[in-house]
Amino acid sequence: MKLITAIVKPFKVDDVKDALRSAGIAGVTASEVRGFGRQGGHTETYRGSEYAIDFVPKVKLEVLASDSDVQRIVDLITGAAQTGKIGDGKIWVTSVDSVVRIRTGETGEAAI
Amino acid sequence: MKLITAIVKPFKVDDVKDALRSAGIAGVTASEVRGFGRQGGHTETYRGSEYAIDFVPKVKLEVLASDSDVQRIVDLITGAAQTGKIGDGKIWVTSVDSVVRIRTGETGEAAI
Amino acid sequence: MKLITAIVKPFKVDDVKDALRSAGIAGVTASEVRGFGRQGGHTETYRGSEYAIDFVPKVKLEVLASDSDVQRIVDLITGAAQTGKIGDGKIWVTSVDSVVRIRTGETGEAAI
Amino acid sequence: MESGNLAWILISAALVLFMIPGLAFFYGGMDRGRNVLNMLMMNFYCALIVPILWVLVGYSLSQVPFENDFLGNFDAFMLKNITEAGDGSTLATVAFLGMFAAITPALISGAVADRMKFSAWAIFVPFWLFLAYVPIFKWVYGGWLGQRGSIDFAGGTAIHVNAGIAALAAVLVLGKRKTGAAPPHSMPLVMIGTGILWFGWFGFNAGSALAANGQAAQAFMNTFLAAAAAGLAWVLVEWLRDGHPTNLGAASGIVAGLVAITPAAGYVSGASPIFIGLIAGVVCCYAVKLKNKAGYDDALDVVGVHFVGGLVGSLLIGFFADPDFFKGSFEKGLFFGGDAGLLLEQALANGVAIVWSFVVTLILMLVLKNTIGVRVSDETEFNGLDLAEHGETAYHS
Amino acid sequence: MESGNLAWILISAALVLFMIPGLAFFYGGMDRGRNVLNMLMMNFYCALIVPILWVLVGYSLSQVPFENDFLGNFDAFMLKNITEAGDGSTLATVAFLGMFAAITPALISGAVADRMKFSAWAIFVPFWLFLAYVPIFKWVYGGWLGQRGSIDFAGGTAIHVNAGIAALAAVLVLGKRKTGAAPPHSMPLVMIGTGILWFGWFGFNAGSALAANGQAAQAFMNTFLAAAAAGLAWVLVEWLRDGHPTNLGAASGIVAGLVAITPAAGYVSGASPIFIGLIAGVVCCYAVKLKNKAGYDDALDVVGVHFVGGLVGSLLIGFFADPDFFKGSFEKGLFFGGDAGLLLEQALANGVAIVWSFVVTLILMLVLKNTIGVRVSDETEFNGLDLAEHGETAYHS
Amino acid sequence: MESGNLAWILISAALVLFMIPGLAFFYGGMDRGRNVLNMLMMNFYCALIVPILWVLVGYSLSQVPFENDFLGNFDAFMLKNITEAGDGSTLATVAFLGMFAAITPALISGAVADRMKFSAWAIFVPFWLFLAYVPIFKWVYGGWLGQRGSIDFAGGTAIHVNAGIAALAAVLVLGKRKTGAAPPHSMPLVMIGTGILWFGWFGFNAGSALAANGQAAQAFMNTFLAAAAAGLAWVLVEWLRDGHPTNLGAASGIVAGLVAITPAAGYVSGASPIFIGLIAGVVCCYAVKLKNKAGYDDALDVVGVHFVGGLVGSLLIGFFADPDFFKGSFEKGLFFGGDAGLLLEQALANGVAIVWSFVVTLILMLVLKNTIGVRVSDETEFNGLDLAEHGETAYHS
Ligand SMILES: Nc1ncnc2c1ncn2[C@@H]1O[C@H](COP(=O)(O)OP(=O)(O)O)[C@@H](O)[C@H]1O
Ligand SMILES: Nc1ncnc2c1ncn2[C@@H]1O[C@H](COP(=O)(O)OP(=O)(O)O)[C@@H](O)[C@H]1O
Ligand SMILES: Nc1ncnc2c1ncn2[C@@H]1O[C@H](COP(=O)(O)OP(=O)(O)O)[C@@H](O)[C@H]1O
């Protein structure tokens, strides 16, 4: 099993979620994060003093998936989150040793 | 060493924390996340217009542990976070290559 | 490729970010988390009633890096985030199977 | 002027000024967290630019001399000839009316939320003031519409119908939001605004008696009752229809009731304000859903609450007006022994205001659209107007 | 009535209306972020339903004719026979008193926070108004308690003791929260509420002179000083006892001082309000901890602040009343040359109010409990009342 | 006193009290989320301690007998000899002035934000009140400076210049923040504060006429116009200079305009307030940047807004004073046919206030620094003052 982590632009979250849902992907966990990368931050000015805000708002999506689904999910996310502009974000995949569904105690792929 | 990640219901966080503490587990990192899964979201109505809120509030807990502690911790979390109702959440375990305690520079199990 | 995750004190984030930037590290993803560990929480008193707040605010930093950069980045973060006081936080490293840059579809080290 | 009357006008004027931030919070809380500062700024801006324009020529054009039919003149330019430190009654009245002038364009901001360029708004406000507010105000108060017999106590036609229909014209030119609707980012902020609005509206309505007298007391009571009745009605409709009584419903109903009683406050008595409130609450609760069918994107329901509420209240005067009670010189409403005369005059006055305001606003917006442009870029719309238009972010940690 | 007096009553009435949102924010900020809208709605609801009931029959039952002993009649149903646009003084007074009627049940909401069904609250409020508020109000003002010699300037017995003891009865029936206590979700919101409450309370107390005269000025000064003294006392106790002076302590002390001076505001002078404030601040600061020992779950300390504060202030009248200063017809307090007569009357009046209010509230809550039920489900309690009861969420991004 | 005049003083006093929370939110919103409660507490504390000190001896020392030159006496200790329930005018005035005394030290809190020990602040306030506020107030109103001919309608010299220069002295002793500057944690809270401040300032300025008369009406109008003009000016400078019109700019400009018109409100007429506002808006917009060059750390720009704004307004009286309009006994300004006499007196009065206030504040702060200490620990500064100093956190979920 794998964990797919994607950093995307906030206003793309709904598109990604809908794409995953249509493709029958059962679950996602999302969180607010701030990203620092090629896409610059911005400057805010208060009473004439400038404040550099280096981090830009992003959303992190995490999806647990069986090995066979990984490529499909990565493609779905890439497709739905892409705007072609700098700052679209990253996706990375890591290996998961085991998964448990808390409600039932089920483990492995059944728990996803 | 392993990283145990658990997605739980917000009002179960204190129970899980207390369970871990009683079992002598030294540390946890928590964060607010929003989950999308079998447990449906909800609808809010403002001036008669409906807004579907697909994501429900969850808390993500991360615990670094030595390999030998993993099963015990997973069981502790499962026990403390379970309500038996849909949406209780997931636990997953991944392998960690190395750990450092920033304060001392200690590494490996000593750093947990 | 590796994912370096660091839990640091909130007011050290800018130092870490600047240290990484000076060392040419291209990107970081940050998020607000709450930590529970050796560093105790605190007590708040409202109308004479005490509330134990066990979790203290921390920031989680995630950095994707090629294998060869890992040690350097861990050292940079350790250096910048250290105050020597309890609660400075942890760094851990996990292996990443694959990375995609959403904007271009590039994969592997090119996507970092 | 008795000191008690002057004190009442002054505190009423201060209350109306306070309504502008109140309105800003009412709207701003309903808006997205990344657009709230743009919303606040659109409102506060009205409180910065309008007072200056008002004392320069606005008051003069809308009032002096009081008897003329269509438009005033420049005789009171920069308050010239209003030199009366001894008494203060005219000065206080000019200030009081200046607050009304400032809040009226601010009402429109709720409709154009989330997508209008601030530079376009900055130009829109002064032009709209002179093209729509000043003439309609003149016609209604002392001008040809008022002389025919229509009445408007504190600005149902001149303010709410006027701004409400202008909001419709503005959003027709502006187009729909690409980002769609979103739930309120801070309901407590909405309720802070609502509390301030209700509080301030006592000055708006009861202050319009321009004295602390029986009419002021009745207008006060009416403001109290109509807001309560409309809030109650809106909440009950929601409870039955949607299953929940909501805070936004209570707030919207309160505002709808306040809008509806505005034109009638000094002309109706007894249980009439309760009926007016109940009717306005129910009608506006349904009216805010019209936009979905009709397809215009009135973001925060300026049309559904201010236009509809103002029109309902203004027309209901034709039924509830009670000159006997007030020993007033206006006509009787249908329920108080009158014929349809007053109702027809009310309909005419509102009809004229609607057509005029709609047309000039449409033209003004079209001119702006074809010159400096009225919409922010799509990117700004998605990323939020606060940062792009004002270089600020509402909340930091 | 002089225009100055009418202006003072009208603005005072508006100030008391403004206290209702103020109270809502004071309570709402202290509550959890997932229950804040329920708290706001419980308060705003009082401002919607009570005004209507008040003008229909509430005023009449509690006032007309003024001389009777136990209960008024229906002579002023829907303000019948109050037709006086010429003067406005009675109308203004009815509106002013209507604000008091609306805020009194709202006080109780802080106790039942976090677990009461909104439908039960919606029914509780009108019944409580007629079963507890109207009779006690009548007895205290002009009725048998007042005629015996007890005094209550702006509602210590009739409002704060009454609502405070009702809060105790209500939570005894309701039971404890399953979710326990939680720190305030937004202290700035609490402080916004506190600021509005203090501001509005000048209308509540000084407006109760029903004229802009010397008694009003003294009541104003007393309101200023007692709030400051009580806030100071509470903060100092905290500083010495808990190690920190807190904002919530300052806010709570200010409110406790305002509550305690309410019954006394027009009867005490000189340094008396400072002593009353200091005593109320210290006593209430300890009283809010009673609930932990006694075991009732008064969520936001309505008993500790309003019941105890109101009782303290009302009894202290027996010591500090100064009729010479006011050239008033009430008895002297113990410190101003009087005997214990006034103190005993105060004790009696409060005793009667406590017993009556406690019993009728208990019965009302028990009836509700055994019919439609008074508590939300456990799930709703854990997930928050805002969503389940109102279909709304306080904050979105 | 006519009831209308008393009503006006009372409501004005309530408005000034309301400004204290307003100021707290204005400052608190600008501050970090972990220091906001400390900021609120510094402000509310002034509203708790000062009223008591004011009626004990503050009023007496600053006013009684009115004719003396340097300092009053103890004749009105605890309002002794102010026993006039029949009329209330003096009592109302003492309360009104007490609000001014309370808000003046609160102004300073914005400068020392983010690093001052609350215990040091708790001692600073009462000492500063007697060392700086009371004497300067006395000299300006009825004392030697006022007798020479300088004028100060509602407290430009006595309040804003005084507190503003004290802020400078305080931060020089205190030193810079280790945490540097940060963007406002809640702009909506800043705007809530701004709205309350503008609303309340009508009481502050127009109430200073101590009657509802022509001078009050003019002061009201001036307050309206100067705030608008200054807000507009600040926003326009920003728009041209920084590329964006900001909410904080509008808020800062409004406050700068209110500060600048404060000394002049009852002495200028016609278009003068607009000019005063425009000048104050531009000057203060640049003045807030001085601190970066000069190197003092005035966290929330008390020097740039209150000192500079107050000084500008006070000196501009020398140009715009218009005694003919007011039939007043003060000298003519340069633009209204006067010579430089008034301007020189204004300069002298402000010069004296500046030197006195700066020196005593410096000494007071140095004494505090060398006894109990004035700064929190570095750790507290980094982790936030709310928790360490008050045991509270502003926001919980
Ligand atoms: N090396 C990295 N490690 C972790 N997160 C990264 C890294 N580089 C970028 N990110 C995340 O991806 C987001 C987008 O990256 P950025 O370099 O701005 O543009 P792009 O996605 O087009 O390459 C960043 O805001 C950050 O959240
Ligand atoms: N495939 C998944 N990947 C990541 N997170 C998931 C996944 N499925 C569920 N989750 C998380 O677990 C939470 C609970 O899952 P859900 O399907 O609602 O119920 P249950 O835990 O009973 O299976 C979700 O809200 C989401 O945060
Ligand atoms: N076993 C653990 N698993 C996950 N996070 C941990 C663990 N132990 C500590 N942390 C995180 O690191 C932070 C600092 O740890 P703490 O034990 O307080 O001090 P130190 O970093 O000095 O060892 C904690 O607040 C928590 O966020």
Side-chain angles (χ1 to χ4, degrees), chain E residues 109-131:
Chain E
S109 66
V112 301
D114 292 344
R115 60 208 190 281
M116 186 162 177
K117 271 168 73 166
F118 186 73
S119 56
W121 177 256
I123 296 172
F124 176 85
V125 170
F127 277 90
W128 190 85
L129 187 77
F130 288 112
L131 294 174

PDB file of all heavy atoms in Angstrom, chain E residues 109-131:
ATOM      1  N   SER E 109     -29.796  32.578  29.093  1.00  0.00           N
ATOM      2  CA  SER E 109     -29.191  31.722  28.062  1.00  0.00           C
ATOM      3  C   SER E 109     -27.775  31.281  28.405  1.00  0.00           C
ATOM      4  O   SER E 109     -27.345  30.192  28.043  1.00  0.00           O
ATOM      5  CB  SER E 109     -29.214  32.439  26.710  1.00  0.00           C
ATOM      6  OG  SER E 109     -28.368  33.569  26.741  1.00  0.00           O
ATOM      7  N   GLY E 110     -27.039  32.135  29.124  1.00  0.00           N
ATOM      8  CA  GLY E 110     -25.658  31.782  29.459  1.00  0.00           C
ATOM      9  C   GLY E 110     -25.555  30.542  30.331  1.00  0.00           C
ATOM     10  O   GLY E 110     -24.553  29.821  30.282  1.00  0.00           O
ATOM     11  N   ALA E 111     -26.578  30.285  31.116  1.00  0.00           N
ATOM     12  CA  ALA E 111     -26.537  29.128  32.014  1.00  0.00           C
ATOM     13  C   ALA E 111     -26.792  27.826  31.282  1.00  0.00           C
ATOM     14  O   ALA E 111     -26.163  26.803  31.545  1.00  0.00           O
ATOM     15  CB  ALA E 111     -27.560  29.306  33.138  1.00  0.00           C
ATOM     16  N   VAL E 112     -27.721  27.867  30.332  1.00  0.00           N
ATOM     17  CA  VAL E 112     -28.159  26.638  29.676  1.00  0.00           C
ATOM     18  C   VAL E 112     -27.351  26.330  28.418  1.00  0.00           C
ATOM     19  O   VAL E 112     -27.676  25.406  27.666  1.00  0.00           O
ATOM     20  CB  VAL E 112     -29.665  26.726  29.320  1.00  0.00           C
ATOM     21  CG1 VAL E 112     -30.488  26.956  30.583  1.00  0.00           C
ATOM     22  CG2 VAL E 112     -29.927  27.840  28.310  1.00  0.00           C
ATOM     23  N   ALA E 113     -26.297  27.113  28.214  1.00  0.00           N
ATOM     24  CA  ALA E 113     -25.462  26.984  27.024  1.00  0.00           C
ATOM     25  C   ALA E 113     -25.003  25.557  26.789  1.00  0.00           C
ATOM     26  O   ALA E 113     -24.875  24.773  27.710  1.00  0.00           O
ATOM     27  CB  ALA E 113     -24.231  27.870  27.180  1.00  0.00           C
ATOM     28  N   ASP E 114     -24.769  25.220  25.536  1.00  0.00           N
ATOM     29  CA  ASP E 114     -24.068  24.004  25.140  1.00  0.00           C
ATOM     30  C   ASP E 114     -24.922  22.750  25.142  1.00  0.00           C
ATOM     31  O   ASP E 114     -24.409  21.664  24.814  1.00  0.00           O
ATOM     32  CB  ASP E 114     -22.855  23.722  26.054  1.00  0.00           C
ATOM     33  CG  ASP E 114     -21.740  24.728  25.888  1.00  0.00           C
ATOM     34  OD1 ASP E 114     -21.748  25.458  24.887  1.00  0.00           O
ATOM     35  OD2 ASP E 114     -20.857  24.789  26.765  1.00  0.00           O
ATOM     36  N   ARG E 115     -26.197  22.852  25.547  1.00  0.00           N
ATOM     37  CA  ARG E 115     -26.961  21.593  25.617  1.00  0.00           C
ATOM     38  C   ARG E 115     -28.459  21.743  25.512  1.00  0.00           C
ATOM     39  O   ARG E 115     -29.163  20.743  25.412  1.00  0.00           O
ATOM     40  CB  ARG E 115     -26.636  20.876  26.917  1.00  0.00           C
ATOM     41  CG  ARG E 115     -26.987  21.701  28.182  1.00  0.00           C
ATOM     42  CD  ARG E 115     -26.090  21.296  29.304  1.00  0.00           C
ATOM     43  NE  ARG E 115     -26.391  21.767  30.618  1.00  0.00           N
ATOM     44  CZ  ARG E 115     -26.111  22.988  31.098  1.00  0.00           C
ATOM     45  NH1 ARG E 115     -25.601  23.918  30.312  1.00  0.00           N
ATOM     46  NH2 ARG E 115     -26.341  23.272  32.350  1.00  0.00           N
ATOM     47  N   MET E 116     -28.984  22.953  25.522  1.00  0.00           N
ATOM     48  CA  MET E 116     -30.445  23.072  25.498  1.00  0.00           C
ATOM     49  C   MET E 116     -30.955  23.081  24.056  1.00  0.00           C
ATOM     50  O   MET E 116     -30.394  23.753  23.192  1.00  0.00           O
ATOM     51  CB  MET E 116     -30.887  24.355  26.210  1.00  0.00           C
ATOM     52  CG  MET E 116     -32.408  24.454  26.352  1.00  0.00           C
ATOM     53  SD  MET E 116     -32.890  25.661  27.619  1.00  0.00           S
ATOM     54  CE  MET E 116     -34.685  25.596  27.467  1.00  0.00           C
ATOM     55  N   LYS E 117     -32.024  22.332  23.830  1.00  0.00           N
ATOM     56  CA  LYS E 117     -32.670  22.318  22.514  1.00  0.00           C
ATOM     57  C   LYS E 117     -33.183  23.704  22.179  1.00  0.00           C
ATOM     58  O   LYS E 117     -33.865  24.329  23.005  1.00  0.00           O
ATOM     59  CB  LYS E 117     -33.862  21.362  22.522  1.00  0.00           C
ATOM     60  CG  LYS E 117     -33.519  19.954  22.160  1.00  0.00           C
ATOM     61  CD  LYS E 117     -34.651  19.008  22.450  1.00  0.00           C
ATOM     62  CE  LYS E 117     -35.805  19.150  21.468  1.00  0.00           C
ATOM     63  NZ  LYS E 117     -36.711  17.954  21.606  1.00  0.00           N
ATOM     64  N   PHE E 118     -32.955  24.164  20.967  1.00  0.00           N
ATOM     65  CA  PHE E 118     -33.426  25.502  20.643  1.00  0.00           C
ATOM     66  C   PHE E 118     -34.950  25.560  20.632  1.00  0.00           C
ATOM     67  O   PHE E 118     -35.547  26.572  21.013  1.00  0.00           O
ATOM     68  CB  PHE E 118     -32.863  25.983  19.306  1.00  0.00           C
ATOM     69  CG  PHE E 118     -33.229  27.404  19.040  1.00  0.00           C
ATOM     70  CD1 PHE E 118     -32.623  28.422  19.737  1.00  0.00           C
ATOM     71  CD2 PHE E 118     -34.232  27.730  18.133  1.00  0.00           C
ATOM     72  CE1 PHE E 118     -32.988  29.746  19.540  1.00  0.00           C
ATOM     73  CE2 PHE E 118     -34.608  29.051  17.925  1.00  0.00           C
ATOM     74  CZ  PHE E 118     -33.978  30.056  18.624  1.00  0.00           C
ATOM     75  N   SER E 119     -35.596  24.481  20.225  1.00  0.00           N
ATOM     76  CA  SER E 119     -37.066  24.489  20.220  1.00  0.00           C
ATOM     77  C   SER E 119     -37.597  24.663  21.638  1.00  0.00           C
ATOM     78  O   SER E 119     -38.593  25.353  21.856  1.00  0.00           O
ATOM     79  CB  SER E 119     -37.608  23.208  19.593  1.00  0.00           C
ATOM     80  OG  SER E 119     -37.093  22.087  20.272  1.00  0.00           O
ATOM     81  N   ALA E 120     -36.924  24.049  22.595  1.00  0.00           N
ATOM     82  CA  ALA E 120     -37.358  24.205  23.981  1.00  0.00           C
ATOM     83  C   ALA E 120     -37.151  25.651  24.450  1.00  0.00           C
ATOM     84  O   ALA E 120     -38.001  26.233  25.132  1.00  0.00           O
ATOM     85  CB  ALA E 120     -36.591  23.245  24.889  1.00  0.00           C
ATOM     86  N   TRP E 121     -36.039  26.230  24.052  1.00  0.00           N
ATOM     87  CA  TRP E 121     -35.778  27.631  24.395  1.00  0.00           C
ATOM     88  C   TRP E 121     -36.830  28.539  23.774  1.00  0.00           C
ATOM     89  O   TRP E 121     -37.310  29.499  24.407  1.00  0.00           O
ATOM     90  CB  TRP E 121     -34.375  28.012  23.921  1.00  0.00           C
ATOM     91  CG  TRP E 121     -34.024  29.454  24.150  1.00  0.00           C
ATOM     92  CD1 TRP E 121     -33.989  30.445  23.229  1.00  0.00           C
ATOM     93  CD2 TRP E 121     -33.666  30.063  25.408  1.00  0.00           C
ATOM     94  NE1 TRP E 121     -33.621  31.632  23.818  1.00  0.00           N
ATOM     95  CE2 TRP E 121     -33.423  31.424  25.155  1.00  0.00           C
ATOM     96  CE3 TRP E 121     -33.533  29.584  26.702  1.00  0.00           C
ATOM     97  CZ2 TRP E 121     -33.050  32.313  26.156  1.00  0.00           C
ATOM     98  CZ3 TRP E 121     -33.166  30.472  27.702  1.00  0.00           C
ATOM     99  CH2 TRP E 121     -32.926  31.817  27.434  1.00  0.00           C
ATOM    100  N   ALA E 122     -37.191  28.229  22.549  1.00  0.00           N
ATOM    101  CA  ALA E 122     -38.155  29.072  21.835  1.00  0.00           C
ATOM    102  C   ALA E 122     -39.494  29.110  22.563  1.00  0.00           C
ATOM    103  O   ALA E 122     -40.205  30.115  22.515  1.00  0.00           O
ATOM    104  CB  ALA E 122     -38.333  28.571  20.400  1.00  0.00           C
ATOM    105  N   ILE E 123     -39.832  28.017  23.235  1.00  0.00           N
ATOM    106  CA  ILE E 123     -41.083  27.980  23.993  1.00  0.00           C
ATOM    107  C   ILE E 123     -40.888  28.515  25.409  1.00  0.00           C
ATOM    108  O   ILE E 123     -41.749  29.171  25.974  1.00  0.00           O
ATOM    109  CB  ILE E 123     -41.631  26.534  24.029  1.00  0.00           C
ATOM    110  CG1 ILE E 123     -41.987  26.120  22.604  1.00  0.00           C
ATOM    111  CG2 ILE E 123     -42.832  26.421  24.947  1.00  0.00           C
ATOM    112  CD1 ILE E 123     -42.355  24.662  22.483  1.00  0.00           C
ATOM    113  N   PHE E 124     -39.717  28.228  25.952  1.00  0.00           N
ATOM    114  CA  PHE E 124     -39.412  28.682  27.306  1.00  0.00           C
ATOM    115  C   PHE E 124     -39.552  30.200  27.437  1.00  0.00           C
ATOM    116  O   PHE E 124     -40.156  30.699  28.398  1.00  0.00           O
ATOM    117  CB  PHE E 124     -37.988  28.251  27.667  1.00  0.00           C
ATOM    118  CG  PHE E 124     -37.510  28.744  29.001  1.00  0.00           C
ATOM    119  CD1 PHE E 124     -37.796  28.042  30.164  1.00  0.00           C
ATOM    120  CD2 PHE E 124     -36.762  29.915  29.112  1.00  0.00           C
ATOM    121  CE1 PHE E 124     -37.347  28.489  31.406  1.00  0.00           C
ATOM    122  CE2 PHE E 124     -36.320  30.381  30.343  1.00  0.00           C
ATOM    123  CZ  PHE E 124     -36.613  29.667  31.492  1.00  0.00           C
ATOM    124  N   VAL E 125     -39.002  30.925  26.492  1.00  0.00           N
ATOM    125  CA  VAL E 125     -38.918  32.387  26.615  1.00  0.00           C
ATOM    126  C   VAL E 125     -40.289  33.050  26.790  1.00  0.00           C
ATOM    127  O   VAL E 125     -40.502  33.781  27.769  1.00  0.00           O
ATOM    128  CB  VAL E 125     -38.126  33.006  25.443  1.00  0.00           C
ATOM    129  CG1 VAL E 125     -38.244  34.530  25.433  1.00  0.00           C
ATOM    130  CG2 VAL E 125     -36.660  32.591  25.529  1.00  0.00           C
ATOM    131  N   PRO E 126     -41.254  32.830  25.890  1.00  0.00           N
ATOM    132  CA  PRO E 126     -42.539  33.514  26.105  1.00  0.00           C
ATOM    133  C   PRO E 126     -43.242  33.086  27.395  1.00  0.00           C
ATOM    134  O   PRO E 126     -43.835  33.930  28.074  1.00  0.00           O
ATOM    135  CB  PRO E 126     -43.361  33.139  24.864  1.00  0.00           C
ATOM    136  CG  PRO E 126     -42.622  32.045  24.186  1.00  0.00           C
ATOM    137  CD  PRO E 126     -41.206  32.124  24.610  1.00  0.00           C
ATOM    138  N   PHE E 127     -43.169  31.798  27.722  1.00  0.00           N
ATOM    139  CA  PHE E 127     -43.825  31.375  28.955  1.00  0.00           C
ATOM    140  C   PHE E 127     -43.155  32.001  30.180  1.00  0.00           C
ATOM    141  O   PHE E 127     -43.816  32.467  31.097  1.00  0.00           O
ATOM    142  CB  PHE E 127     -43.837  29.843  29.067  1.00  0.00           C
ATOM    143  CG  PHE E 127     -44.954  29.224  28.300  1.00  0.00           C
ATOM    144  CD1 PHE E 127     -44.790  28.847  26.973  1.00  0.00           C
ATOM    145  CD2 PHE E 127     -46.208  29.068  28.890  1.00  0.00           C
ATOM    146  CE1 PHE E 127     -45.834  28.304  26.254  1.00  0.00           C
ATOM    147  CE2 PHE E 127     -47.264  28.518  28.171  1.00  0.00           C
ATOM    148  CZ  PHE E 127     -47.074  28.137  26.852  1.00  0.00           C
ATOM    149  N   TRP E 128     -41.846  31.980  30.165  1.00  0.00           N
ATOM    150  CA  TRP E 128     -41.135  32.549  31.302  1.00  0.00           C
ATOM    151  C   TRP E 128     -41.454  34.032  31.452  1.00  0.00           C
ATOM    152  O   TRP E 128     -41.607  34.545  32.560  1.00  0.00           O
ATOM    153  CB  TRP E 128     -39.620  32.329  31.142  1.00  0.00           C
ATOM    154  CG  TRP E 128     -38.875  32.668  32.392  1.00  0.00           C
ATOM    155  CD1 TRP E 128     -38.668  31.854  33.465  1.00  0.00           C
ATOM    156  CD2 TRP E 128     -38.274  33.925  32.724  1.00  0.00           C
ATOM    157  NE1 TRP E 128     -37.981  32.518  34.440  1.00  0.00           N
ATOM    158  CE2 TRP E 128     -37.716  33.783  34.017  1.00  0.00           C
ATOM    159  CE3 TRP E 128     -38.144  35.140  32.067  1.00  0.00           C
ATOM    160  CZ2 TRP E 128     -37.037  34.824  34.653  1.00  0.00           C
ATOM    161  CZ3 TRP E 128     -37.476  36.180  32.693  1.00  0.00           C
ATOM    162  CH2 TRP E 128     -36.926  36.024  33.973  1.00  0.00           C
ATOM    163  N   LEU E 129     -41.581  34.712  30.315  1.00  0.00           N
ATOM    164  CA  LEU E 129     -41.897  36.140  30.342  1.00  0.00           C
ATOM    165  C   LEU E 129     -43.177  36.396  31.127  1.00  0.00           C
ATOM    166  O   LEU E 129     -43.227  37.294  31.979  1.00  0.00           O
ATOM    167  CB  LEU E 129     -42.050  36.650  28.907  1.00  0.00           C
ATOM    168  CG  LEU E 129     -42.222  38.159  28.759  1.00  0.00           C
ATOM    169  CD1 LEU E 129     -40.878  38.849  28.928  1.00  0.00           C
ATOM    170  CD2 LEU E 129     -42.813  38.511  27.401  1.00  0.00           C
ATOM    171  N   PHE E 130     -44.182  35.598  30.856  1.00  0.00           N
ATOM    172  CA  PHE E 130     -45.473  35.854  31.503  1.00  0.00           C
ATOM    173  C   PHE E 130     -45.579  35.237  32.894  1.00  0.00           C
ATOM    174  O   PHE E 130     -46.280  35.750  33.746  1.00  0.00           O
ATOM    175  CB  PHE E 130     -46.616  35.368  30.603  1.00  0.00           C
ATOM    176  CG  PHE E 130     -46.797  36.241  29.410  1.00  0.00           C
ATOM    177  CD1 PHE E 130     -46.506  35.797  28.128  1.00  0.00           C
ATOM    178  CD2 PHE E 130     -47.233  37.559  29.565  1.00  0.00           C
ATOM    179  CE1 PHE E 130     -46.647  36.624  27.033  1.00  0.00           C
ATOM    180  CE2 PHE E 130     -47.380  38.395  28.466  1.00  0.00           C
ATOM    181  CZ  PHE E 130     -47.078  37.931  27.196  1.00  0.00           C
ATOM    182  N   LEU E 131     -44.863  34.133  33.114  1.00  0.00           N
ATOM    183  CA  LEU E 131     -44.967  33.486  34.423  1.00  0.00           C
ATOM    184  C   LEU E 131     -44.045  34.116  35.455  1.00  0.00           C
ATOM    185  O   LEU E 131     -44.382  34.187  36.633  1.00  0.00           O
ATOM    186  CB  LEU E 131     -44.647  31.988  34.293  1.00  0.00           C
ATOM    187  CG  LEU E 131     -45.651  31.175  33.475  1.00  0.00           C
ATOM    188  CD1 LEU E 131     -45.165  29.746  33.291  1.00  0.00           C
ATOM    189  CD2 LEU E 131     -47.019  31.200  34.178  1.00  0.00           C
TER     190      LEU E 131
END
